Amino acid sequence: MEFIDEVKIQLKKVAEELIEKAGLNNGDVVVVGCSSSEILGDNMGTNSSPELGEEVFLTLNEVFKRKGIFLAAQCCEHLNRAIIIEREAAKNVEQVNVVPVPKAGGSFATAAYKHFKNPVAVEGIKADAGLDIGGVLIGMHLKNVAVPLKLSEKSIGNALLLAARTRPKFIGGVRANYNDELL
Protein backbone atom coordinates (compact mmCIF):
# COMPACT_ATOMS: atom_id res chain seq x y z
CA MET A 1 0.00 0.00 0.00
CA GLU A 2 1.27 3.46 -0.88
CA PHE A 3 2.17 5.94 1.86
CA ILE A 4 -0.57 8.40 0.86
CA ASP A 5 -3.20 5.64 0.92
CA GLU A 6 -2.16 4.72 4.47
CA VAL A 7 -2.36 8.38 5.51
CA LYS A 8 -5.87 8.69 4.05
CA ILE A 9 -7.02 5.59 5.96
CA GLN A 10 -5.61 7.07 9.19
CA LEU A 11 -7.29 10.43 8.51
CA LYS A 12 -10.73 8.92 7.89
CA LYS A 13 -10.44 6.86 11.05
CA VAL A 14 -9.45 9.80 13.29
CA ALA A 15 -12.05 12.14 11.79
CA GLU A 16 -14.85 9.65 12.42
CA GLU A 17 -13.52 8.91 15.90
CA LEU A 18 -13.30 12.63 16.72
CA ILE A 19 -16.91 13.18 15.63
CA GLU A 20 -18.05 10.37 17.90
CA LYS A 21 -15.89 11.09 20.97
CA ALA A 22 -16.40 14.86 20.85
CA GLY A 23 -20.15 14.51 20.27
CA LEU A 24 -20.02 16.79 17.23
CA ASN A 25 -23.22 17.80 15.48
CA ASN A 26 -24.40 19.54 12.33
CA GLY A 27 -23.06 23.11 12.27
CA ASP A 28 -20.14 22.48 14.65
CA VAL A 29 -16.62 23.56 13.69
CA VAL A 30 -13.44 21.46 13.79
CA VAL A 31 -10.13 23.29 13.51
CA VAL A 32 -7.31 21.33 11.89
CA GLY A 33 -3.69 22.30 11.86
CA CYS A 34 -1.50 20.18 9.63
CA SER A 35 2.17 20.07 8.70
CA SER A 36 2.69 18.10 5.51
CA SER A 37 6.44 18.22 6.22
CA GLU A 38 5.91 16.45 9.57
CA ILE A 39 3.65 13.81 7.96
CA LEU A 40 6.52 13.07 5.58
CA GLY A 41 8.97 12.78 8.49
CA ASP A 42 10.71 16.12 8.03
CA ASN A 43 10.84 19.17 10.28
CA MET A 44 7.91 21.54 10.13
CA GLY A 45 8.15 24.01 7.24
CA THR A 46 11.05 22.28 5.50
CA ASN A 47 9.33 20.05 2.94
CA SER A 48 5.85 21.41 2.27
CA SER A 49 3.94 19.13 -0.07
CA PRO A 50 1.00 20.67 -1.94
CA GLU A 51 -0.07 17.22 -3.17
CA LEU A 52 -0.13 15.78 0.35
CA GLY A 53 -1.82 18.90 1.78
CA GLU A 54 -4.55 18.51 -0.81
CA GLU A 55 -5.08 14.81 -0.06
CA VAL A 56 -5.28 15.52 3.69
CA PHE A 57 -7.78 18.33 3.16
CA LEU A 58 -9.98 16.40 0.72
CA THR A 59 -10.07 13.33 2.97
CA LEU A 60 -10.94 15.21 6.17
CA ASN A 61 -13.39 17.56 4.47
CA GLU A 62 -15.30 14.64 2.97
CA VAL A 63 -15.82 13.03 6.39
CA PHE A 64 -16.79 16.26 8.16
CA LYS A 65 -18.97 17.60 5.35
CA ARG A 66 -21.02 14.37 5.32
CA LYS A 67 -22.03 15.16 8.93
CA GLY A 68 -22.62 18.88 8.32
CA ILE A 69 -19.52 19.82 10.30
CA PHE A 70 -17.39 22.76 9.15
CA LEU A 71 -13.67 22.24 8.71
CA ALA A 72 -11.48 25.22 9.65
CA ALA A 73 -7.96 25.00 8.21
CA GLN A 74 -5.29 26.68 10.31
CA CYS A 75 -2.52 28.44 8.44
CA CYS A 76 1.09 28.28 9.59
CA GLU A 77 2.77 30.92 11.74
CA HIS A 78 3.81 32.96 8.67
CA LEU A 79 0.15 34.00 8.47
CA ASN A 80 -0.21 34.25 12.27
CA ARG A 81 -2.16 30.98 12.27
CA ALA A 82 -5.10 32.57 10.47
CA ILE A 83 -8.04 30.32 9.61
CA ILE A 84 -9.45 29.41 6.20
CA ILE A 85 -13.11 28.48 6.45
CA GLU A 86 -16.32 28.50 4.43
CA ARG A 87 -17.98 31.92 4.51
CA GLU A 88 -21.16 30.27 5.85
CA ALA A 89 -19.31 29.26 9.04
CA ALA A 90 -17.72 32.70 9.53
CA LYS A 91 -20.85 34.85 9.66
CA ASN A 92 -19.93 36.72 12.86
CA VAL A 93 -16.17 36.83 12.35
CA GLU A 94 -14.30 39.66 10.66
CA GLN A 95 -12.64 38.60 7.41
CA VAL A 96 -8.98 39.39 6.68
CA ASN A 97 -7.34 39.63 3.27
CA VAL A 98 -4.82 36.88 2.67
CA VAL A 99 -4.58 33.91 0.35
CA PRO A 100 -2.42 31.06 1.67
CA VAL A 101 0.31 29.47 -0.42
CA PRO A 102 2.50 26.50 0.53
CA LYS A 103 5.38 28.59 1.96
CA ALA A 104 3.13 31.22 3.62
CA GLY A 105 0.09 29.53 5.05
CA GLY A 106 0.97 25.91 4.38
CA SER A 107 -0.07 23.26 1.89
CA PHE A 108 -3.12 22.20 3.93
CA ALA A 109 -4.59 25.71 4.20
CA THR A 110 -3.75 26.34 0.53
CA ALA A 111 -5.81 23.27 -0.40
CA ALA A 112 -8.69 24.46 1.77
CA TYR A 113 -8.71 27.85 0.06
CA LYS A 114 -8.65 26.13 -3.33
CA HIS A 115 -11.43 23.61 -2.63
CA PHE A 116 -13.91 25.41 -0.37
CA LYS A 117 -16.97 26.66 -2.25
CA ASN A 118 -16.69 30.18 -0.79
CA PRO A 119 -13.48 30.45 1.29
CA VAL A 120 -12.66 33.31 3.61
CA ALA A 121 -9.68 34.00 5.84
CA VAL A 122 -10.25 35.08 9.44
CA GLU A 123 -7.81 35.83 12.24
CA GLY A 124 -9.43 33.48 14.69
CA ILE A 125 -12.38 31.31 15.64
CA LYS A 126 -13.59 29.32 18.65
CA ALA A 127 -13.95 25.76 17.38
CA ASP A 128 -15.83 22.91 19.05
CA ALA A 129 -13.02 20.38 18.52
CA GLY A 130 -9.68 20.07 16.79
CA LEU A 131 -6.97 17.92 15.28
CA ASP A 132 -3.31 18.94 15.53
CA ILE A 133 -1.26 17.02 12.98
CA GLY A 134 2.44 17.65 13.51
CA GLY A 135 2.48 19.95 16.54
CA VAL A 136 1.19 23.10 14.84
CA LEU A 137 -0.55 24.43 18.00
CA ILE A 138 -4.30 24.75 17.37
CA GLY A 139 -5.20 25.68 20.96
CA MET A 140 -5.74 29.37 20.22
CA HIS A 141 -8.67 28.41 17.98
CA LEU A 142 -10.58 26.22 20.45
CA LYS A 143 -13.34 27.33 22.80
CA ASN A 144 -12.16 28.26 26.29
CA VAL A 145 -12.31 24.84 27.94
CA ALA A 146 -10.43 22.35 25.79
CA VAL A 147 -10.39 18.70 26.84
CA PRO A 148 -7.70 16.39 25.40
CA LEU A 149 -9.04 13.34 23.57
CA LYS A 150 -7.22 10.06 23.24
CA LEU A 151 -7.72 8.63 19.77
CA SER A 152 -6.72 5.17 18.58
CA GLU A 153 -4.17 6.65 16.18
CA LYS A 154 -1.19 8.46 17.73
CA SER A 155 0.20 9.74 14.45
CA ILE A 156 -0.67 10.55 10.86
CA GLY A 157 2.17 9.31 8.72
CA ASN A 158 5.23 10.42 10.72
CA ALA A 159 3.48 13.37 12.42
CA LEU A 160 2.35 13.37 16.03
CA LEU A 161 -1.45 13.57 16.32
CA LEU A 162 -3.24 15.39 19.14
CA ALA A 163 -6.99 15.88 19.44
CA ALA A 164 -9.31 17.92 21.63
CA ARG A 165 -12.96 18.59 22.24
CA THR A 166 -14.42 21.49 24.17
CA ARG A 167 -17.02 21.81 26.91
CA PRO A 168 -18.82 24.71 28.58
CA LYS A 169 -17.16 26.32 31.61
CA PHE A 170 -18.30 25.23 35.05
CA ILE A 171 -19.55 28.15 37.11
CA GLY A 172 -20.86 28.32 40.63
CA GLY A 173 -19.65 26.68 43.77
CA VAL A 174 -20.32 23.75 46.04
CA ARG A 175 -24.11 24.18 45.74
CA ALA A 176 -24.11 24.30 41.92
CA ASN A 177 -25.53 21.46 39.84
CA TYR A 178 -24.32 20.61 36.35
CA ASN A 179 -25.80 19.07 33.20
CA ASP A 180 -24.01 15.75 32.70
CA GLU A 181 -24.75 15.87 28.95
CA LEU A 182 -22.44 18.90 28.64
CA LEU A 183 -19.47 17.26 30.32
Side-chain angles (χ1 to χ4, degrees), residues 5 21 80 127:
D5 292 330
K21 286 189 172 184
N80 297 327

Side-chain angles (χ1 to χ4, degrees), residues 34 40 104 183:
C34 174
L40 292 169
L183 301 178

Side-chain angles (χ1 to χ4, degrees), residues 1-65:
M1 181 179 291
E2 250 186 79
F3 179 76
I4 190 67
D5 292 330
E6 290 176 26
V7 166
K8 289 167 68 173
I9 289 168
Q10 291 176 312
L11 289 165
K12 285 179 186 175
K13 183 177 180 182
V14 300
E16 290 167 356
E17 194 174 357
L18 180 69
I19 292 168
E20 179 187 331
K21 286 189 172 184
L24 296 174
N25 296 302
N26 185 50
D28 286 345
V29 176
V30 173
V31 63
V32 176
C34 174
S35 170
S36 59
S37 299
E38 289 280 339
I39 292 173
L40 292 169
D42 296 316
N43 289 331
M44 192 179 308
T46 62
N47 190 18
S48 189
S49 169
E51 298 80 17
L52 181 57
E54 190 160 312
E55 291 294 337
V56 171
F57 172 78
L58 292 172
T59 301
L60 290 175
N61 196 47
E62 175 188 322
V63 174
F64 293 131
K65 196 173 185 180

Side-chain angles (χ1 to χ4, degrees), residues 4-157:
I4 190 67
D5 292 330
E6 290 176 26
V7 166
K8 289 167 68 173
I9 289 168
Q10 291 176 312
L11 289 165
K12 285 179 186 175
K13 183 177 180 182
V14 300
E16 290 167 356
E17 194 174 357
L18 180 69
I19 292 168
E20 179 187 331
K21 286 189 172 184
L24 296 174
N25 296 302
N26 185 50
D28 286 345
V29 176
V30 173
V31 63
V32 176
C34 174
S35 170
S36 59
S37 299
E38 289 280 339
I39 292 173
L40 292 169
D42 296 316
N43 289 331
M44 192 179 308
T46 62
N47 190 18
S48 189
S49 169
E51 298 80 17
L52 181 57
E54 190 160 312
E55 291 294 337
V56 171
F57 172 78
L58 292 172
T59 301
L60 290 175
N61 196 47
E62 175 188 322
V63 174
F64 293 131
K65 196 173 185 180
R66 236 183 299 132
K67 298 284 188 175
I69 297 166
F70 292 104
L71 171 58
Q74 179 180 284
C75 296
C76 70
E77 76 275 10
H78 296 103
L79 297 186
N80 297 327
R81 293 187 173 83
I83 294 291
I84 307 302
I85 194 165
E86 287 283 11
R87 182 177 303 277
E88 180 183 354
K91 290 178 183 163
N92 299 317
V93 183
E94 185 177 350
Q95 183 178 342
V96 295
N97 187 1
V98 71
V99 176
V101 294
K103 292 293 184 182
S107 293
F108 178 71
T110 301
Y113 198 90
K114 174 182 173 184
H115 290 285
F116 278 148
K117 186 172 69 176
N118 196 358
V120 296
V122 299
E123 283 188 292
I125 58 164
K126 292 295 181 186
D128 301 289
L131 293 172
D132 184 323
I133 304 170
V136 295
L137 304 176
I138 62 168
M140 66 191 287
H141 295 300
L142 292 169
K143 289 180 179 174
N144 284 335
V145 183
V147 179
L149 281 179
K150 295 231 185 245
L151 301 179
S152 57
E153 297 286 330
K154 304 296 181 229
S155 62
I156 300 294

